[in-house]
């Protein structure tokens, strides 16, 4: 297990140390999933495995974009 300390920039950016990027196959352009777990932040490279684990997570639930459209439409009528 690697543990390194890094600093968050004024823009909210941080650097993932090179040995961690290399061991996880993180290259420029790699998408990263960010999860808050209590007081911890978990970063995971988006891989086919992660996509498979989360596929269908929101199925059957209302679409956020559709709900926002409905709300805007209601406001426009008044």
């Amino acid at each position: 297990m690697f543990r390194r300390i890094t600093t968050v920039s004024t823009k909210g950016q941080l650097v993932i140390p090179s040995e961690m990027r290399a061991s996880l196959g993180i290259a420029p352009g790699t998408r990263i999933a960010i999860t808050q777990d209590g007081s911890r932040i978990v970063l995971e490279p988006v891989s086919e495995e992660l996509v498979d684990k989360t596929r269908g997570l929101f199925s059957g639930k209302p679409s956020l974009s559709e709900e926002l459209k409905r709300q805007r439409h209601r406001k426009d009528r008044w």
Side-chain angles (χ1 to χ4, degrees), residues 14-75:
L14 60 92
V15 173
I16 301 170
S18 61
E19 65 270 14
M20 290 182 183
R21 292 192 316 266
S23 72
L24 294 170
I26 298 173
T30 299
R31 298 189 59 150
I32 305 290
I34 303 172
T35 307
Q36 181 179 348
D37 182 13
S39 63
R40 297 174 51 158
I41 297 172
V42 179
L43 306 173
E44 295 177 274
V46 175
S47 63
E48 289 297 322
E49 180 183 340
L50 182 61
V51 170
D52 290 342
K53 285 191 325 190
T54 58
R55 183 170 284 135
L57 187 64
F58 299 107
S59 64
K61 296 182 181 172
S63 163
L64 178 59
S65 61
E66 290 301 319
E67 179 58 27
L68 290 171
K69 287 178 191 175
R70 280 192 289 277
Q71 288 177 9
R72 286 186 191 128
H73 180 71
R74 281 193 293 252
K75 287 179 185 177

